[in-house]
Amino acid sequence: KQEVTQIPAALSVPEGENLVLNCSFTDSAIYNLQWFRQDPGKGLTSLLLIQSSQREQTSGRLNASLDKSSGRSTLYIAASQPGDSATYLCAVNSGYALNFGKGTSLLVTP
Amino acid sequence: DAGVIQSPRHEVTEMGQEVTLRCKPISGHNSLFWYRQTMMRGLELLIYFNNNVPIDDSGMPEDRFSAKMPNASFSTLKIQPSEPRDSAVYFCASSLGGIMNTEAFFGQGTRLTVV
């Protein structure tokens, strides 16, 4: 069974810092990996989708990388802002279902 | 497109009552998923439909849970009878052509509280 781990569980940074969120998975046989953002009491918003054949994807200040062989992905957030405060979830697709990590709760302080 | 639409957003019910959660997937998407989110276990897949047919319901906790997809634009998740341990946020998600290569989109969720 695919196990997805996200480190750290929580992170607090001052506004303007660049930061990296980590995701690791146990089975490298994946189709794709998706990063989501979840605000308190809200649904999941898709941020980036990386196919298994890709190394990275970028959207604005976000950059996600994928190293399938080592079972790792990182989400890089440049020049963080208070509005980036949320929980970030990594989800790995090894078949038809997404296996989720427990998330990293990010707080960006002004 | 309005995205994946779930109703109700919040549901409070008494133990033993029947609860029905509803989902309208994104038009044109042919895969639909029901997930449950709790603090302890995170997000777990309950059931997966493809072209309105249940493909995998191994995540459904017990026989008290049932799900249907009578057509491409509507799905329900029913709990009967409900128990306090069913309290969680239930999400519906949809994607195009199976999830192997495509992006999944989630609804806002239904927060269920069973007292």
Side-chain angles (χ1 to χ4, degrees), chain A:
Chain A
K1 183 183 184 289
Q2 179 75 268
E3 300 289 339
V4 181
T5 303
Q6 291 188 245
I7 294 173
L11 181 64
S12 180
V13 300
E15 181 178 7
E17 273 203 10
N18 302 324
L19 58 101
V20 174
L21 307 182
N22 297 293
C23 172
S24 62
F25 46 95
T26 54
D27 185 351
S28 62
I30 69 170
Y31 290 102
N32 56 51
L33 183 146
Q34 202 165 345
W35 282 93
F36 292 89
R37 167 185 173 140
Q38 185 174 29
D39 292 283
K42 304 289 188 183
L44 281 67
T45 300
S46 179
L47 297 174
L48 289 163
L49 171 71
I50 311 178
Q51 301 294 351
S52 62
S53 58
Q54 297 175 318
R55 284 292 195 139
E56 63 179 81
Q57 280 284 357
T58 297
S59 175
R61 294 183 294 107
L62 305 179
N63 176 276
S65 68
L66 174 64
D67 184 343
K68 206 172 62 166
S69 60
S70 67
R72 296 187 182 195
S73 176
T74 62
L75 179 66
Y76 175 83
I77 302 177
S80 58
Q81 303 171 357
D84 295 330
S85 298
T87 297
Y88 291 81
L89 293 156
C90 166
V92 175
N93 176 16
S94 305
Y96 49 78
L98 290 173
N99 295 104
F100 283 85
K102 293 286 181 66
T104 293
S105 179
L106 173 65
L107 177 64
V108 181
T109 56

Side-chain angles (χ1 to χ4, degrees), chain A residues 31-32 34 36 38 40-49 51 89 93 95-102, chain B residues 9 33 35 37 39-43 45 48 55-56 91 99-109 111:
Chain A
Y31 290 102
N32 56 51
Q34 202 165 345
F36 292 89
Q38 185 174 29
K42 304 289 188 183
L44 281 67
T45 300
S46 179
L47 297 174
L48 289 163
L49 171 71
Q51 301 294 351
L89 293 156
N93 176 16
Y96 49 78
L98 290 173
N99 295 104
F100 283 85
K102 293 286 181 66
Chain B
R9 291 293 310 278
F33 307 82
Y35 284 85
Q37 186 177 39
M39 288 292 291
M40 288 294 294
R41 300 173 69 91
L43 274 153
L45 177 71
Y48 160 55
I55 303 300
D56 182 1
F91 287 103
I99 204 169
M100 286 193 294
N101 293 303
T102 63
E103 194 171 4
F105 294 88
F106 281 69
Q108 292 295 298
R111 181 174 296 276

Side-chain angles (χ1 to χ4, degrees), chain B residues 36-95:
Chain B
R36 179 170 67 175
Q37 186 177 39
T38 60
M39 288 292 291
M40 288 294 294
R41 300 173 69 91
L43 274 153
E44 301 173 290
L45 177 71
L46 298 177
I47 188 168
Y48 160 55
F49 290 90
N50 185 255
N51 292 322
N52 311 338
V53 176
I55 303 300
D56 182 1
D57 64 356
S58 60
M60 297 285 263
E62 34 193 287
D63 292 344
R64 298 183 296 105
F65 286 69
S66 62
K68 294 182 179 179
M69 192 164 187
N71 56 62
S73 59
F74 184 66
S75 177
T76 60
L77 178 67
K78 184 178 293 187
I79 308 173
Q80 165 64 18
S82 58
E83 297 182 4
R85 60 192 168 123
D86 301 330
S87 298
V89 182
Y90 291 81
F91 287 103
C92 176
S94 71
S95 69

